Amino acid sequence: MHPDSSDQDTRATPVPSAPQIEARIIRVAIPRPLRRLFDYELPVGMRAPEPGARVRVPFASRELVGVALELIQASDHDEPKAVLEVLDDEPALEPEMLELARWLARYYHYPLGEVCLALLPNAARRGASLTITTTPAWRLLAGADAAALGRAPRQRAALEALRDAGGELAASDLRQAGFQRDLLLALAERGFAEEFDQPPHAATLQRAASDVRLNAEQRAALERILATTDRFAAHLLYGITGSGKTEVYLQALSAVLAAGRQVLVLVPEIALTPQTLARFRARFGHAVALHSQLADGERLQTWLRCRAGLDRILIGTRSAILTPFADLGLIVIDEEHDPSFKQAEGLRYSARDLALVRARELGIPVVLGSATPALESLHNARTGRYAVSRLTERPGGASSPALRIVDIRGQRLEHGLSETLRAEVGRHLDAGGQALVFINRRGYAPVLFCTSCRWQAGCAHCDARQTLHQRPTELRCHHCGARARVPRACPNCNSTALVAVGTGTQRTEEALAEQFPDVPLLRIDRDTTRSAARLEAQLATIAKGEPALLVGTQMLAKGHHFPAVTLVAIVDADSGFLAADYRAPERAAALILQVAGRAGRAERPGEVLIQSLHPDNPVLDALVTGGYDAFAATELANREQGGLPPFAPIALLRADATDPRAAQALLRQLVAPLGAELTADDRLTVWGPAPAPLSRVSGRHRFQTLLRARERRHLHRALTALVAAAPPSRHGKLSWSLDVDPYDTY
């Protein structure tokens, strides 16, 4: 069931318990794209697994880790294979998580075996032990004398750090404080300290006192949230950038933690995790992270500690919503509108929607925060499904930046920058401010073009152009990752008249460095920030507040606090509004306002310049003159007239193959079982098959079919019939996927 609908049953199938009578057949969910369960026999003497426990079983010519779901008396198969090993004494997936797995499988029409394993960390999927490990630690010994270390100041400092911590500290905490192992071993040789294995224990939270005074709007929002800590409620915290949404989160968390419960905070990007983690640790003394860049062992231990209730604050990206908790009391989704919360492959779940499902099942509140809420969220607020709290003021009296469109029709642009924009950048730098120049395109130029024959550098594997990059100089496809050398002459006509057309972050950086050679310039995009440490170093430079230029992509738009930025310049605002996807205007508007919100966050006023070749675009005009509310009203009216979400549910079938005819035929085969009765009275509309907007990627041709229903129950009835008759999602040279509530139709 979609978390915002009321026309379909959300109750999960009860997880069966092991029967009292002796049963030696178990039904197992296997991580394969097959929509069935598999029966295995328990050898004599092997203990029966609990529902949700992992088992190792033979499958075809391999051994796989699966999840036991139930014990049965007899199998439909004459000679089921034998279980090789029961891996868990207790369930790896406890009843709540098994119910969640069944819900996911039903709603997204995805094989239950693959769903069950998706809920486990990678190490657990491979059969790793689900044991919380001990922690290497150091403790003081009786008789430790700091005075005896007068000539060893570092040893004395380590000893005092141990004493200040109550006599014990984890080795990792000592290492982070600058006390290396050889120094601690020196203390051990003196008989002042010893190393030991610290057993698992609950993280200690410090008293979460805050000297931040909330304004009236923040207090009202906090009171609404805290009034629902004993029941399910969805709260939309709709606040302009810089309005103090995070402080509301922090104070809400403080109340929930004081009651002994756990909290989950979802952020859209890994890049936001370190700064969010630092802020929460500064307030509470403890928080842990969960995201894809962690080592498998570390992810497993965090997962286990949250399940055991030992870690109380979890901050993570999309997949963190799949984490089990001992006593979850609150879920916060920051930047809830962000597309990163939608999984783009495999089990295509929405972390935002799943958070609402989990909160409803647990009877706890969920807070969705954004300066530019998703149109679905605004619609739910207007229809009463969500409570909404508005934050319209910036703390300290800082004003929202003024937005201005720069009409670049007929202007001479230098590397994509108009004279007006360059002059304003210079003016703000001269006044001691920082300027952020935003262009959501990596590389040097999106097109390498021959002026003689009009050849363009295209990808050999995709229906897309290759982007010209510098440092290193190469052509790169941003869809499949293919790289090629930059030709010295046109491969079509042998002309040397090759030019770079268009602008990316590298070209913008080069142009600004040439015009402002004495100003520090930082470029922040995926090519320059491949590690969290590199991004943190760049953000620290910006935080100094000295005049500087920032050039970057949407990585700069989300969640960062740049108090010295007084100008935001958006180089290309038109591309998002002109894209074919129906969500493109929403994404473009959100991105513009999110990046615009980086300006004027301190005492100095901010200004935002938006370059456009279409300054009379009514959608852009509504955004600039009336703000996000005006834009959303216009766009929701367009969606309702077009019968698009949130007014009608949709699903997208995609197929790809090396032969385009095979992909088209597969889509026709998939929709054939729907029958005329499902399309009667316009209950269901089927569009396609048609080529995807990007019709070939990595040598495979892509086609898609869109299904739209008047009601969600009609859509799910059709999808149930479709997947029941469908072949495996990967078979031979063909593959297909189903995306329920797709975020894009690319």
Side-chain angles (χ1 to χ4, degrees):
M1 169 187 164
H2 191 270
D4 304 331
S5 69
S6 58
D7 54 6
Q8 188 178 340
D9 186 12
T10 61
R11 292 169 298 179
T13 303
V15 179
S17 58
Q20 297 301 311
I21 58 176
E22 184 71 15
R24 305 306 299 170
I25 304 295
I26 62 171
R27 192 147 281 168
V28 179
I30 297 293
R32 285 293 180 269
L34 303 170
R35 300 175 188 275
R36 52 163 294 198
L37 303 176
F38 295 85
D39 296 344
Y40 288 89
E41 184 177 11
L42 285 167
V44 175
M46 182 178 286
R47 70 183 187 277
E50 294 278 340
R54 297 170 303 154
V55 292
R56 194 182 303 278
V57 295
F59 188 84
S61 60
R62 301 183 60 188
E63 294 181 5
L64 296 177
V65 173
V67 174
L69 294 183
E70 61 179 323
L71 286 164
I72 59 175
Q73 292 300 306
S75 173
D76 296 335
H77 304 282
D78 293 336
E79 296 183 6
K81 294 181 179 179
V83 175
L84 301 175
E85 183 182 5
V86 175
L87 296 173
D88 303 313
D89 293 328
E90 298 179 349
L93 294 178
E94 296 172 333
E96 181 218 338
M97 300 307 290
L98 273 183
E99 290 181 7
L100 183 67
R102 294 180 186 277
W103 185 92
L104 283 162
R106 286 199 311 272
Y107 186 80
Y108 291 105
H109 300 271
Y110 203 70
L112 180 59
E114 296 207 317
V115 172
C116 285
L117 274 293
L119 295 183
L120 295 171
N122 286 337
R125 297 173 203 170
R126 295 193 297 267
S129 171
L130 301 186
T131 302
I132 301 176
T133 59
T134 57
T135 304
W138 289 82
R139 63 185 164 208
L140 286 179
L141 296 177
D145 183 9
L149 298 172
R151 295 186 178 182
R154 291 296 295 159
Q155 291 182 37
R156 186 175 67 251
L159 186 149
E160 291 172 350
L162 284 167
R163 182 165 291 153
D164 291 344
E168 295 182 0
L169 262 180
S172 59
D173 291 335
L174 287 162
R175 187 167 56 251
Q176 189 172 1
F179 303 118
Q180 300 303 318
R181 182 173 172 78
D182 57 350
L183 184 146
L184 297 167
L185 289 172
L187 284 178
E189 288 179 6
R190 291 174 177 266
F192 289 174
E194 69 175 359
E195 190 174 18
F196 71 104
D197 287 331
Q198 192 176 59
H201 64 284
T204 302
L205 297 179
Q206 68 188 27
R207 182 169 180 170
S210 172
D211 57 2
V212 177
R213 296 188 62 182
L214 301 181
N215 62 32
E217 291 179 332
Q218 290 173 306
R219 283 197 306 274
L222 179 62
E223 289 169 1
R224 289 189 189 100
I225 296 167
L226 296 183
T228 62
T229 52
D230 61 345
R231 63 182 186 275
F232 168 71
H235 296 271
L236 177 61
L237 189 59
Y238 182 3
I240 63 172
T241 53
S243 60
K245 293 186 290 294
T246 303
E247 185 60 33
V248 176
Y249 303 156
L250 288 166
Q251 296 200 25
L253 261 66
S254 181
V256 173
L257 294 168
R261 308 192 74 181
Q262 295 168 287
V263 294
L264 169 62
V265 180
L266 296 178
V267 294
E269 299 278 359
I270 292 173
L272 293 178
T273 306
Q275 69 179 48
T276 307
L277 201 61
R279 188 165 182 180
F280 280 66
R281 283 175 174 170
R283 179 68 64 90
F284 300 108
H286 167 78
V288 294
L290 193 65
H291 53 75
S292 60
Q293 287 189 355
L294 296 178
D296 284 352
E298 188 175 0
R299 293 189 74 179
L300 176 61
Q301 287 301 308
T302 298
W303 187 89
L304 290 169
R305 287 180 59 83
C306 287
R307 187 177 72 160
L310 300 178
D311 286 332
R312 303 269 303 283
I313 304 172
L314 178 63
I315 297 170
T317 50
R318 178 180 59 236
S319 62
I321 191 59
L322 304 176
T323 305
F325 291 88
D327 188 14
L328 188 60
L330 175 68
I331 302 175
V332 172
I333 311 170
D334 193 28
E335 310 287 5
E336 65 88 28
H337 66 279
D338 198 280
S340 300
F341 286 125
K342 174 73 172 178
Q343 174 75 16
E345 57 187 21
L347 174 60
R348 290 168 165 80
Y349 66 92
S350 163
R352 180 192 66 201
D353 294 350
L354 192 53
L356 291 158
V357 172
R358 291 198 69 182
R360 180 184 287 116
E361 293 299 315
L362 293 171
I364 63 173
V366 57
V367 179
L368 304 96
S370 178
T372 54
L375 295 186
E376 286 88 349
S377 297
L378 283 178
H379 179 67
N380 285 326
R382 292 172 182 177
T383 55
R385 290 194 179 107
Y386 295 178
V388 61
S389 297
R390 294 294 300 265
L391 303 182
T392 61
E393 302 173 2
R394 287 182 164 185
S399 59
S400 296
L403 275 63
R404 177 159 62 98
I405 297 176
V406 177
D407 184 355
I408 57 175
R409 291 175 296 184
Q411 285 202 41
R412 180 176 177 273
L413 304 180
E414 292 188 11
H415 302 291
L417 307 179
S418 66
E419 183 178 345
T420 300
L421 188 148
R422 287 183 279 111
E424 287 296 311
V425 168
R427 183 172 68 83
H428 280 260
L429 292 174
D430 290 342
Q434 295 177 344
L436 188 160
V437 180
F438 175 81
I439 178 166
N440 204 27
R441 186 184 297 119
R442 293 158 49 215
Y444 187 82
V447 181
L448 183 65
F449 181 76
C450 174
T451 58
S452 296
C453 71
R454 306 182 70 83
W455 169 86
Q456 299 177 29
C459 178
H461 313 288
C462 308
D463 286 336
R465 303 185 187 95
Q466 286 191 307
T467 299
L468 176 64
H469 280 252
Q470 303 283 20
R471 301 182 304 275
T473 300
E474 63 183 4
L475 293 169
R476 192 183 306 172
C477 177
H478 289 173
H479 299 284
C480 72
R483 303 184 180 209
R485 292 181 178 179
V486 178
R488 295 183 178 180
C490 173
N492 187 53
C493 71
N494 209 35
S495 169
T496 57
L498 297 177
V499 296
V501 178
T503 301
T505 50
Q506 291 180 348
R507 191 170 196 171
T508 303
E509 176 191 27
E510 180 183 283
L512 291 171
E514 182 178 334
Q515 183 169 354
F516 304 102
D518 299 325
V519 179
L521 195 156
L522 297 173
R523 174 165 60 90
I524 297 180
D525 58 25
R526 283 176 54 194
D527 297 320
T528 62
T529 54
R530 295 192 178 276
S531 71
R534 175 70 183 274
L535 176 61
E536 284 297 292
Q538 291 176 306
L539 295 178
T541 301
I542 299 168
K544 293 178 181 177
E546 300 170 355
L549 275 165
L550 290 69
V551 175
T553 60
Q554 61 182 332
M555 292 184 70
L556 282 172
K558 303 171 184 177
H560 301 299
H561 180 60
F562 302 141
V565 168
T566 56
L567 174 68
V568 165
I570 299 172
V571 175
D572 179 17
D574 297 323
S575 56
F577 291 110
L578 300 176
D581 187 74
Y582 79 95
R583 287 190 188 269
E586 178 185 358
R587 286 194 294 264
L591 193 53
I592 286 173
L593 290 189
Q594 289 286 331
V595 71
R598 302 311 110 196
R601 295 171 72 96
E603 67 278 1
R604 288 183 288 187
E607 185 178 4
V608 179
L609 300 180
I610 304 172
Q611 286 192 164
S612 177
L613 284 166
H614 303 277
D616 51 356
N617 181 338
V619 179
L620 178 60
D621 180 67
L623 182 69
V624 171
T625 59
Y628 193 72
D629 281 336
F631 160 79
T634 300
E635 195 62 17
L636 279 169
N638 292 338
R639 296 269 191 95
E640 186 171 19
Q641 185 178 11
L644 293 168
F647 301 98
I650 63 172
L652 193 65
L653 275 171
R654 296 180 173 99
D656 63 87
T658 54
D659 181 354
R661 293 168 297 181
Q664 286 180 289
L666 176 59
L667 287 178
R668 294 191 183 99
Q669 175 189 345
L670 289 171
V671 299
L674 299 186
E677 70 281 1
L678 287 174
T679 59
D681 303 322
D682 295 325
R683 283 180 293 173
L684 182 74
T685 305
V686 179
W687 289 314
L694 186 61
S695 60
R696 186 171 61 104
V697 175
S698 299
R700 296 183 67 84
H701 295 270
R702 306 165 70 239
F703 285 79
Q704 57 192 37
T705 294
L706 184 71
L707 293 85
R708 183 189 67 180
R710 287 193 307 180
E711 297 180 27
R712 194 166 297 278
R713 60 192 176 92
H714 295 152
L715 179 66
H716 282 282
R717 179 184 170 191
L719 296 179
T720 299
L722 185 152
V723 300
S729 58
R730 298 183 294 273
H731 59 291
K733 296 181 179 180
L734 289 169
S735 67
W736 66 273
S737 65
L738 173 61
D739 192 352
V740 179
D741 306 324
Y743 190 80
D744 63 59
T745 54
Y746 291 157

